[in-house]
Amino acid sequence: MTDDPMNLTANEASIDAILRSMTVADLELEDPPADLWSSIEASIALEEVVPVSDNVVDLTTQFRRRPTILVAAAAALIVLVGVFVASSGSDDSTYEVVGGAELTWADGFVDAGVDASAAAAILVDGDTEAVRLDETMLPAAPEGEDLELWLIGVDSTGELTIQSIGVIDDPSDDRAYEVPAGFDPDAFDTVLVDISFEPRDGVAAHSGASVVRGPIVDA
Amino acid sequence: MTLTEIRPPIAPEARYSPRVTAAQAPVGNNAESAFARGDDNALRLAYDAHGRMVYGFCARSLDPERAKDVTQEVFVSAWRARHRYDPAKGRLGAWIMAITRNRIIDNVRSEKRHSDRRADEDTIDLSTESEVDATSDKMLVADALLELPERAREVITLAYFHDLTHPQIAERTNIPLGTVKSDIRRGLARIRQHLESQHD
């Protein structure tokens, strides 16, 4: 090329210079990781379900737990609660840590969570999974409300499955929260850990008032 | 828009194929206007059209984990800020790449400051920005090249990536020498349009 000047305009010359600085490797743009789109989709969808507008009713329908899961979860809890009580507390040495999540506040979450953070460890013991909260810096729930722990699964079509894991009585304890057997984290492209404020109003669905949230990554 | 409304419009295996022609590629004014309006599927189309370029830019500037995170942040931020995108002021790809550039520079600066607290911050900033800008230009040009008509793409590839002279290209492709030169010039001008953005 250099042997053949073409009297390029400034605009053309600027591209000519960039092309000359490139190698074939610059043309080989690799595909983003396969799960990246679902993470983007989940991130945006979860922002949009936060009830900062009048859409609350509409949006929280997505958060309504499915009756079948509730039944399964209730059954599983009855079976597992005895086992769990025995193995919870400070000794979860029989559990293997298989993943973790850094939970942070985001735009649209409750204002009280702006400085909040938490780490969640995903524990497995046989067929039993549990979530343990570590390094929690969480605001106290407002009067008449609780802090509640959730898992949010996003499948390959973008559909959300929201599963309550339990009410957080004391964020600083090292209790592990059992994941109900009806919720299979492996069935989803992305699973997020979420902590919300939940009014004691008898409504089982997620209020949309998230405090912190973060995606689970493998340990 | 809800999550369920932004389903993939095309099969995953068809995504990002370099064999997708300009006519098939989900870019252009309609897709860009749809993005600015926040239409359903518009973000997915933008990701399909520009995801490789954004990720390629991040992967060349950051470690793999950060590259993935920053790519995600870029598309989420772009979608949040879509009302600020004006198709009349430039191509969507260039606008998204400007967001990517700023995110990468923030990340590179924080990494460098972390690894060498004694470094002169002005020096870091200048070298960082020029390196990142150069990578951004390369990724935009690589992406724009894919959208050129096939003959122009071939001629430019032979000239710049196989170091053939114009007469050698004419001989190799059986295209008249004058046409080789005009294809290159027009190609350069069209690539330039991809890089232009009058957004603030």
Side-chain angles (χ1 to χ4, degrees):
Chain A
M1 280 289 302
T2 49
D3 60 338
D4 200 3
M6 293 201 296
N7 298 316
L8 299 174
T9 66
N11 278 349
E12 291 161 359
S14 68
I15 303 303
D16 174 80
I18 295 167
L19 279 163
R20 286 172 192 275
S21 73
M22 293 171 67
T23 66
V24 175
D26 293 317
L27 300 179
E28 293 164 354
L29 296 177
E30 59 269 51
D31 288 347
D35 61 345
L36 187 51
W37 169 250
S38 62
S39 301
I40 292 168
E41 202 174 30
S43 182
I44 285 170
L46 292 167
E47 280 182 12
E48 293 182 355
V49 296
V50 172
V52 290
S53 69
D54 295 334
N55 290 335
V56 177
V57 173
D58 223 14
L59 295 167
T60 50
T61 57
Q62 288 195 55
F63 274 114
R64 204 171 304 286
R65 282 172 285 170
R66 295 167 185 173
T68 50
I69 289 180
L70 276 176
V71 171
L77 278 173
I78 290 165
V79 173
L80 291 168
V81 70
V83 176
F84 193 66
V85 165
S87 61
S88 62
S90 61
D91 180 16
D92 49 42
S93 57
T94 60
Y95 285 95
E96 180 189 358
V97 177
V98 295
E102 297 294 327
L103 315 189
T104 54
W105 183 85
D107 284 346
F109 288 12
V110 294
D111 291 343
V114 67
D115 295 321
S117 65
I122 310 304
L123 313 171
V124 168
D125 178 17
D127 293 334
T128 307
E129 295 208 35
V131 180
R132 189 187 65 215
L133 293 176
D134 302 316
E135 300 160 36
T136 50
M137 291 180 59
L138 297 170
E143 189 65 31
E145 300 187 22
D146 292 311
L147 283 166
E148 189 161 347
L149 180 63
W150 305 81
L151 289 181
I152 302 173
V154 187
D155 73 13
S156 58
T157 67
E159 187 170 345
L160 305 181
T161 301
I162 317 297
Q163 177 65 59
S164 173
I165 304 301
V167 170
I168 303 168
D169 292 325
D170 177 6
S172 65
D173 72 16
D174 58 358
R175 174 187 164 192
Y177 296 80
E178 192 85 34
V179 178
F183 184 91
D184 176 11
D186 293 335
F188 303 100
D189 285 6
T190 305
V191 178
L192 300 113
V193 181
D194 177 281
I195 295 173
S196 66
F197 285 157
E198 294 296 326
R200 293 180 198 132
D201 54 7
V203 176
H206 192 294
S207 65
S210 289
V211 180
V212 288
R213 183 183 292 158
I216 295 173
V217 294
D218 291 340
Chain B
M1 186 183 65
T2 66
L3 184 58
T4 51
E5 288 167 347
I6 39 176
R7 301 237 168 131
I10 52 177
E13 61 269 24
R15 275 191 258 160
Y16 315 125
S17 167
R19 292 183 298 279
V20 171
T21 66
Q24 293 170 305
V27 294
N29 290 334
N30 289 339
E32 296 183 339
S33 301
F35 187 91
R37 286 194 305 268
D39 288 3
D40 291 353
N41 274 337
L43 179 63
R44 176 65 196 211
L45 291 173
Y47 181 76
D48 286 342
H50 307 298
R52 294 177 81 234
M53 174 170 63
V54 169
Y55 181 69
F57 184 15
C58 293
R60 282 162 174 76
S61 310
L62 302 166
D63 68 65
E65 200 53 42
R66 286 305 302 152
K68 187 180 169 190
D69 290 347
V70 171
T71 303
Q72 177 175 339
E73 290 167 18
V74 164
F75 280 96
V76 172
S77 318
W79 187 245
R80 277 189 204 145
R82 59 190 180 269
H83 59 280
R84 292 210 291 272
Y85 170 64
D86 179 356
K89 290 185 175 176
R91 300 298 297 268
L92 181 59
W95 183 74
I96 290 177
M97 285 293 271
I99 295 172
T100 313
R101 170 205 182 270
N102 292 336
R103 292 271 173 162
I104 288 175
I105 286 176
D106 288 346
N107 273 271
V108 173
R109 277 182 190 156
S110 97
E111 274 175 21
K112 285 194 175 176
R113 287 197 184 116
H114 197 68
S115 64
D116 186 358
R117 292 183 179 280
R118 292 165 302 175
D120 179 333
E121 292 196 358
D122 290 340
T123 310
I124 286 174
D125 284 356
L126 285 175
S127 67
T128 298
E129 289 194 18
S130 68
E131 281 169 30
V132 172
D133 284 343
T135 307
S136 173
D137 285 345
K138 289 176 184 179
M139 297 299 99
L140 277 161
V141 168
D143 192 59
L145 201 53
L146 290 174
E147 288 198 41
L148 289 184
E150 189 175 345
R151 193 178 73 192
R153 184 168 66 244
E154 181 185 11
V155 166
I156 286 181
T157 303
L158 290 171
Y160 290 95
F161 296 94
H162 297 272
D163 292 327
L164 298 189
T165 64
H166 297 167
Q168 286 170 331
I169 295 169
E171 191 181 335
R172 163 96 67 109
T173 60
N174 287 323
I175 298 171
L177 180 59
T179 308
V180 168
K181 293 186 178 187
S182 60
D183 275 355
I184 290 177
R185 289 194 72 139
R186 272 202 296 271
L188 295 178
R190 288 182 70 158
I191 292 172
R192 170 76 191 186
Q193 290 170 4
H194 276 259
L195 276 68
E196 285 175 353
S197 176
Q198 277 93 50
H199 288 91
D200 294 331

